Amino acid sequence: MNRGRTDLQTAVFETTWGSLSIAAGARGVAACRLPAAPGTPRPLQVLRVRIPRGAKAVLRQAVDFVRAVIEGRAPGKCPALDEAALGGAPEFRRSVWTALRKIPRGRTLTYSGLAGLAGHPRAARAAGSACGANPLPLFIPCHRAVAANGDLGGFSAGLAWKTRLLTGEGAWR
């Protein structure tokens, strides 16, 4: 997760669905890894959080943000994101990730609508692919993009995650 960077600190959430990790450094949140959703549905709960001693403020803010998201509470202001984590992506993906951050909590937008918001109204499928390539799920809310027919669409860590996140925001049945 740290890709050779020595300034990154990592926090690990032990949950009923497995280990979730986030890494942050001086430039902001650099990584977020979700465990695959379980095959059999069970409640998502945080069992414990391991934070390194002397954790920097941005990592502590990221931990508070993720805990609120998992618990279905309004997380407050998103911590700074490390642009280097996004920097190698093509401009189209970056435009979709920027558009995703404009979708309010508790709302969804179709992949087609997302493509339009990103300035590429005819690129719904590519917008879906950009969501799947999102390196910072939870911080860049790709779970808020849904299929035009009202279905969830996809999610990199599994549909149980997407359902849980949208339900926690009051945006899904």
Side-chain angles (χ1 to χ4, degrees):
M1 173 181 290
N2 294 350
R3 290 176 281 231
R5 289 189 38 198
T6 59
D7 68 313
L8 294 181
Q9 296 178 316
T10 301
V12 177
F13 287 73
E14 298 298 335
T15 77
T16 51
W17 289 10
S19 296
L20 179 158
S21 59
I22 52 177
R27 296 179 287 195
V29 178
C32 177
R33 301 287 182 265
L34 305 179
T40 55
R42 63 184 138 174
L44 173 62
Q45 296 176 323
V46 175
L47 303 173
R48 116 182 114 142
V49 181
R50 292 187 315 235
I51 305 170
R53 281 185 217 262
K56 293 183 172 50
V58 68
L59 183 62
R60 290 187 184 284
Q61 184 183 9
V63 165
D64 292 344
F65 185 90
V66 168
R67 183 183 291 276
V69 168
I70 289 173
E71 293 174 353
R73 296 182 288 112
K77 185 177 185 237
C78 184
L81 303 183
D82 185 342
E83 288 298 316
L86 312 173
E91 183 55 39
F92 174 80
R93 283 186 180 173
R94 292 174 58 86
S95 70
V96 170
W97 298 336
T98 298
L100 283 164
R101 295 182 76 193
K102 294 177 183 175
I103 304 171
R105 182 179 189 279
R107 300 283 175 97
T108 60
L109 190 62
T110 65
Y111 292 109
S112 177
L114 175 61
L117 188 60
H120 304 277
R122 301 181 76 193
R125 292 185 98 151
S129 292
C131 288
N134 175 6
L136 297 172
L138 305 185
F139 298 98
I140 299 174
C142 55
H143 61 277
R144 295 181 186 150
V146 297
N149 67 1
D151 287 344
L152 285 174
F155 192 72
S156 59
L159 290 182
W161 266 107
K162 190 168 189 170
T163 302
R164 174 64 188 90
L165 294 170
L166 289 174
T167 302
E169 291 184 7
W172 196 253
R173 37 190 178 263

